[in-house]
Amino acid sequence: MNKAQRNILIIISSILLLLAFILHLSGVNGPLEDSLLITATIISGYPTVKKAVLATRMKAFSIELLVTIAVTGALIIGEYVESAAVTFLFLFGAYLEAHTLEKARSSLKVLMKMSPQTATVIRAGKHEIISAEDIQKGDRVVIRSGEKVAIDGTIVTGEALINESSVTGESIPVRKAKGGEVFSGTMLETGYLEVIAEKVGEDTTFARIIDLVEEAQESKAKTQQFLERFASFYTPGILVLSLLVWIFTRDIHMSLTFLVIACPGALVMSAPVSMVAGIGNGARNGILIKGGDTMEKLAKASGMVFDKTGTLTQGKPTVTAIRSYGINENELLSLAAEAELMSEHHLGRTIVEEAEARGLTTTASSGRVEVLKGQGIKAIIHNTTLLVGNLKLMLDAQIPVRQEAGNYAVQQEKNGNTVIWVGAYDQIRGIISIADPVRAEAKEALNELRANGIRHLVMLTGDNRYNGEKVGRQLAMSKVFAGLLPEDKVSKIRVCRQKGERLVMVGDGVNDAPAIASADVGIAMGIAGADVALETADIVLMSDKLDKLAYAYKLSKATVRNMKQNMFFSVGVVLFLLLGVLTKNIFLASGMLIHELSVLAVILNAIRLVYFPESPFQPGRWIRNFSAYAGTILPKGKWRKYEMN
Amino acid sequence: MKISKIELEELTCPSCINKIERTLSKKEGVQEVRVLFNSSQVKVTHQEDLISADQLVNLIEKLGYRVSGAVHSS
C-alpha cells in the first residue's frame, strides 16, 4: 500500500461518511445509511487490518490488531457509526501524523540534501562527471560556481567564496584559495576551485555529522525513558482492564473502547518528537548535540567553565594599535621587526608577522643583539642602538619619556594590551600594543548566558594571573583561576561538581579534552574538521563563534520545556481518557478522536522548535505583548500592579 | 559481517520499533537490529551469506512497511 493508494482510501471513505451523515440529517435512517457506513469501515479499515494480519503472521504484537478487534466487535454489535469513525480516524490520523512528523524531523533531511549526487573530476587530464560515491581519495575534483562540494580536501588552484552554513551554521561566505580546506556539503557561491580529495564518502566531516545527529536523535532522554516505562505498563494494563470490564460487567462497549485507547501514542511520541526537533534545529545551526540526555543536562546547568586562550579570546596575539613619534607607523614597525627578527620571544614574532602582513621587508641585518631578560632587547643596527621592550628598558637607557606617551601606554594596558616601547636615536619612536583580543561576540554571548540562568561563569587558564584577570574583568567572569596545568583544570571541575554544581566546560576540544570529559557537559568549539573533538565532546560547536554557545543553551532550555509540556499534556490526556471511558462519556469514536488529536498536538508543539528562536506560535509572548499593550492604555493607578514585566 | 542501512517510509507509531526489531533479530544470520525511529531507518548487522540485504527488505515489507530509500551497505 503506497501513499497514493492510502490517500484514495481516505478520500473515498470520507465521501461515504459524509453521505451517511447527510442521510442521517435528512432523517432517512435504515439499511442505506448502514450499508454506507459498513462500506466506509471496510475501505478505511483495510490498511489497518492488513497490517494487523501481516504482523500477527510474523508473530508480532501490533496496535493495529487491537483496533481491528475493536472495530470487528463494533460491527458485530451493530455500532456502524462507531466502527466507520474509528477506522477512518485511525487512517486519517496516521496520514496527518506522517506529514507533521516529517516537518518535525525536517532539519536533518534539509541538511542531507546538501550532499551532491555527482562531481567533476580530472582523471588523466580529462574532465569526467562521476557519481559522488565513486570519488577516490587523491582525485582532483573541480568545483564551479553554484556547485556543492562532495569531498573534504585541500585547494590546489583557484579561489572562491564558499558558503559553509551546512557545516558551521554560519551563513556568511568564506573566501578560500590555494592551501585552504573545503568541506563536503558546503557550497561554492562564486569562483572556481580544483581540490585534491582527502576524505570521501562516509569519512567526510559532513557524513560524520549526519551520522552523529542520526544517532543523537535516537538516544533517549531521561524524560523519554520515564515515559516509555509508563507506556510499557500502560498498554498491557489497559488490555487487562478491558478484559476485566468484560468479564465482570459484560459491558462490551466499554471493553472495546479500552482497546481503542490502549495505544500510548501521544505518551511515547511526546518526548522524542521534541528532542528530534531540538537536535535538528541545532544541527542546522552548526551545533551538534549528541543526545537527549546531554540536552537535558545543558538545560539544567548552573555554571559554565571556560578555557581562556582560543575560547574566550581569539587565541592568537595580534598587534592591536601602533602609535609612532616622528616617523610613520610602517617605519616604526620595520625598525621593531628588524630587531625582533633576532629574538625568539613570542610577542616579537607577533610584531614580525604584522610587518610581513603589511608587506614590509624584514630581512635581518647583521648586527648585535642583546636580550635583557624581563625587559626586552637591545640591538645595534646601522650603528644605532635600537631598544624594543618595556618602559623600564627605556628608563634604564635614560631615554626621555613624555607625559602624553606615558598616559597612552597606561591606557592601552588598562584595555588589556601588552605595551611594547620602541626607542631609537635616544628618543621614544613609538608604542606597539599587542593583545590576544577577546572575541568580539564574547561579552554579549556571556551576558546572554547569564540572563538565561547560568549563575557562575568561571575561567580556567594556563596563562599567567595578570593576563587571566584582565580578560576576566573585561567579561565580568565570576571567578578566574590562572596558571593551571591541564590536570589542575580537571581537579577544579571535580571539586565544583562535588559541591553540587552542574558544570559545562567549554574549550577548544584538543588541549582541553580531559577537562571537557570531566564536566557534566563538555562543549568543544571551532573545530570544523578536527576529529578528536567530534568523539570526546558532548556538544560540538562547528563554528568558533561564542554566540552559538548562547544559542545552544537557549535551544536546550526551549527543547526541555517543550518536552515537559508534551509530557504533562500526554499524561493528562491518558488520565482524561481513562476517566471518560470509566464514566461512560467516551466511546469508540470519541476515544479515537481524542487519541489522534493528542498525538497531533504533541507533534505540532514540537514543530515550534524547528522554527526556534522565531516560533510562529508563541502564546506566552502574545499574552505578554497584549498585557504590555494593555498597560499602556489602561489608566494609571490600581491597574498598574497587574502589569506583567 | 555487513551493516545495511534500510530507509523506510515515515515511521509514525513507536510500536513499530519493537515489531521490526523483534522480527528481524529472530532470523539466522542477523546479529544486530536497530530501528532509528526518528530518521525512519533500520540498521542491520548481518552475515551476508546467511541473509542478504534484499531478504531483509523483503521481511520488512512483509510486516507492512514500505522501503522507500536506497539500501546502503558498508
Side-chain angles (χ1 to χ4, degrees):
Chain A
M1 167 104 11
N2 62 28
K3 276 181 192 162
Q5 285 167 327
R6 189 184 59 191
N7 293 353
I8 291 171
L9 292 188
I10 291 174
I11 293 168
I12 295 176
S13 47
S14 58
I15 292 171
L16 289 174
L17 278 175
L18 199 68
L19 282 178
F21 184 63
I22 293 169
L23 280 181
H24 183 79
L25 284 187
S26 51
V28 191
N29 291 345
L32 182 59
E33 188 193 344
D34 286 350
S35 55
L36 277 174
L37 288 171
I38 293 170
T39 321
T41 308
I42 292 169
I43 289 176
S44 59
Y46 171 71
T48 312
V49 175
K50 191 178 160 197
K51 267 199 173 171
V53 171
L54 285 171
T56 313
R57 206 184 284 158
M58 305 289 272
K59 298 192 188 68
F61 169 79
S62 64
I63 297 302
E64 284 85 1
L65 182 64
L66 296 184
V67 174
T68 304
I69 295 171
V71 169
T72 315
L75 283 177
I76 290 169
I77 59 173
E79 288 286 356
Y80 304 128
V81 177
E82 300 282 322
S83 69
V86 165
T87 50
F88 175 75
L89 286 171
F90 193 67
L91 190 66
F92 188 52
Y95 164 83
L96 286 179
E97 277 159 35
H99 272 260
T100 45
L101 264 178
E102 224 174 330
K103 186 78 220 164
R105 294 166 173 168
S106 63
S107 297
L108 192 59
K109 295 220 171 87
V110 170
L111 265 190
M112 281 161 90
K113 284 198 192 111
M114 295 301 294
S115 48
Q117 302 295 315
T118 58
T120 313
V121 293
I122 304 178
R123 281 179 181 169
K126 273 191 204 151
H127 283 61
E128 282 178 46
I129 294 175
I130 60 171
S131 158
E133 288 167 25
D134 297 331
I135 306 175
Q136 302 288 319
K137 232 171 153 176
D139 267 339
R140 197 181 176 101
V141 182
V142 175
I143 310 148
R144 300 188 186 87
S145 291
E147 285 182 353
K148 290 166 190 158
V149 183
I151 41 87
D152 288 3
T154 308
I155 301 168
V156 279
T157 45
E159 198 185 338
L161 275 179
I162 297 184
N163 186 331
E164 298 192 321
S165 62
S166 59
V167 175
T168 63
E170 291 292 329
S171 52
I172 301 161
V174 193
R175 181 170 295 282
K176 297 214 171 176
K178 193 180 171 184
E181 279 184 83
V182 294
F183 298 105
S184 168
T186 58
M187 180 147 113
L188 199 145
E189 291 199 338
T190 54
Y192 172 90
L193 291 178
E194 285 178 23
V195 178
I196 297 291
E198 276 156 9
K199 286 182 189 161
V200 296
E202 302 280 299
D203 297 327
T204 62
T205 303
F206 188 67
R208 292 185 52 210
I209 292 173
I210 299 282
D211 218 47
L212 267 175
V213 177
E214 270 177 12
E215 292 291 333
Q217 290 184 336
E218 298 305 320
S219 81
K220 285 169 187 166
K222 281 226 173 65
T223 317
Q224 186 175 351
Q225 287 166 2
F226 161 76
L227 286 174
E228 280 180 7
R229 253 199 315 277
F230 189 102
S232 69
F233 290 110
Y234 177 75
T235 305
I238 294 290
L239 292 183
V240 169
L241 202 60
S242 163
L243 213 63
L244 288 179
V245 165
W246 187 67
I247 290 168
F248 289 110
T249 66
R250 297 279 153 181
D251 186 342
I252 192 85
H253 248 107
M254 197 187 276
S255 308
L256 292 178
T257 310
F258 271 124
L259 290 184
V260 165
I261 66 158
C263 178
L267 213 52
V268 283
M269 194 72 97
S270 59
V273 79
S274 301
M275 268 311 162
V276 165
I279 290 175
N281 181 310
R284 229 179 37 226
N285 286 289
I287 300 162
L288 306 188
I289 300 167
K290 297 213 305 211
D293 198 27
T294 303
M295 186 78 97
E296 280 178 324
K297 280 187 190 159
L298 177 60
K300 275 193 222 149
S302 61
M304 273 200 195
V305 182
F306 295 83
D307 168 53
K308 178 179 79 81
T309 311
T311 303
L312 293 174
T313 67
Q314 291 171 4
K316 210 174 161 293
T318 45
V319 173
T320 52
I322 297 175
R323 174 165 292 198
S324 57
Y325 300 105
I327 52 178
N328 71 34
E329 277 189 11
N330 284 353
E331 282 167 355
L332 176 77
L333 202 58
S334 334
L335 268 181
E338 220 163 326
E340 290 289 359
L341 259 181
M342 287 172 269
S343 91
E344 271 170 9
H345 195 268
H346 73 276
L347 290 181
R349 265 208 309 279
T350 307
I351 293 178
V352 175
E353 276 169 21
E354 176 70 17
E356 279 168 355
R358 292 188 183 199
L360 306 172
T361 47
T362 50
T363 42
S365 11
S366 56
R368 218 156 39 80
V369 170
E370 199 182 333
V371 178
L372 303 159
K373 218 166 181 207
Q375 295 192 0
I377 56 172
K378 182 175 171 185
I380 298 177
I381 301 171
H382 316 309
N383 296 324
T384 42
T385 311
L386 193 59
L387 295 163
V388 184
N390 60 14
L391 183 60
K392 189 164 184 299
L393 184 72
M394 304 298 134
L395 294 175
D396 285 1
Q398 297 186 329
I399 294 177
V401 175
R402 279 182 295 145
Q403 182 77 31
E404 191 272 336
N407 289 346
Y408 170 76
V410 169
Q411 193 53 48
Q412 285 300 98
E413 276 179 341
K414 270 191 187 156
N415 291 339
N417 293 287
T418 303
V419 170
I420 300 198
W421 295 76
V422 181
Y425 308 104
D426 298 325
Q427 277 197 22
I428 296 292
R429 289 300 171 186
I431 296 169
I432 299 174
S433 305
I434 291 180
D436 178 7
V438 166
R439 290 175 185 280
E441 76 283 3
K443 189 154 194 170
E444 201 179 325
L446 262 50
N447 282 340
E448 216 169 330
L449 286 171
R450 260 186 290 260
N452 283 285
I454 298 283
R455 273 175 296 148
H456 307 293
L457 293 166
V458 178
M459 183 168 95
L460 301 181
T461 178
D463 203 347
N464 64 51
R465 197 188 168 132
Y466 186 65
N467 279 340
E469 283 182 349
K470 261 191 318 202
V471 175
R473 260 197 312 275
Q474 261 177 293
L475 295 173
M477 309 290 289
S478 350
K479 251 197 186 122
V480 174
F481 296 99
L484 301 178
L485 297 169
E487 54 265 36
D488 299 334
K489 292 186 184 175
V490 173
S491 60
K492 281 269 182 266
I493 289 173
R494 289 241 169 87
V495 169
C496 283
R497 286 187 65 190
Q498 274 159 11
K499 283 186 206 153
E501 289 276 356
R502 288 177 301 269
L503 284 190
V504 179
M505 167 76 203
V506 190
D508 63 10
V510 185
N511 303 317
D512 304 313
I516 283 177
S518 61
D520 291 277
V521 179
I523 301 185
M525 58 181 272
I527 48 78
D531 293 355
V532 212
L534 278 177
E535 305 298 333
T536 52
D538 301 307
I539 297 176
V540 181
L541 308 178
M542 299 304 292
S543 81
D544 60 357
K545 288 280 179 61
L546 277 168
D547 42 13
K548 292 287 179 196
L549 180 67
Y551 186 95
Y553 178 62
K554 284 189 288 182
L555 178 66
S556 77
K557 285 210 139 175
T559 306
V560 169
R561 200 164 48 233
N562 195 283
M563 194 172 66
K564 292 222 165 106
Q565 291 161 356
N566 275 358
M567 182 182 80
F568 284 119
F569 176 73
S570 55
V571 172
V573 167
V574 160
L575 295 178
F576 178 76
L577 278 173
L578 270 178
L579 267 176
V581 176
L582 287 172
T583 56
K584 302 197 177 192
N585 284 312
I586 291 175
F587 289 116
L588 289 165
S590 45
M592 184 56 94
L593 181 68
I594 293 168
H595 168 77
E596 292 293 346
L597 285 179
S598 69
V599 174
L600 277 180
V602 298
I603 301 174
L604 288 175
N605 189 37
I607 286 178
R608 294 193 305 135
L609 284 173
V610 174
Y611 297 100
F612 175 86
E614 263 119 46
S615 167
F617 181 72
Q618 293 181 317
R621 180 184 285 186
W622 296 340
I623 292 169
R624 276 197 301 278
N625 284 351
F626 176 74
S627 45
Y629 170 70
T632 61
I633 57 168
L634 288 175
K636 285 197 167 60
K638 66 173 182 175
W639 291 104
R640 278 288 166 184
K641 70 179 173 205
Y642 298 110
E643 230 178 85
M644 295 171 90
N645 35 15
Chain B
M1 212 45 71
K2 185 176 163 180
I3 300 172
S4 294
K5 222 179 190 183
I6 302 165
E7 282 171 28
L8 308 182
E9 63 179 0
E10 207 71 27
L11 289 177
T12 52
C13 183
S15 71
C16 317
I17 300 175
N18 277 331
K19 215 197 295 182
I20 298 171
E21 278 182 359
R22 244 183 254 156
T23 312
L24 291 190
S25 56
K26 270 187 280 185
K27 297 290 163 192
E28 203 188 341
V30 175
Q31 202 191 27
E32 202 198 341
V33 186
R34 286 191 56 222
V35 176
L36 305 184
F37 174 63
N38 293 307
S39 7
S40 305
Q41 283 179 359
V42 188
K43 268 190 190 170
V44 193
T45 315
H46 60 112
Q47 268 176 293
E48 237 202 329
D49 43 340
L50 288 175
I51 190 162
S52 71
D54 285 344
Q55 281 171 304
L56 291 170
V57 168
N58 219 327
L59 276 170
I60 294 172
E61 283 184 333
K62 266 196 191 150
L63 275 173
Y65 299 96
R66 272 176 55 79
V67 172
S68 69
V71 180
H72 302 289
S73 298
S74 55

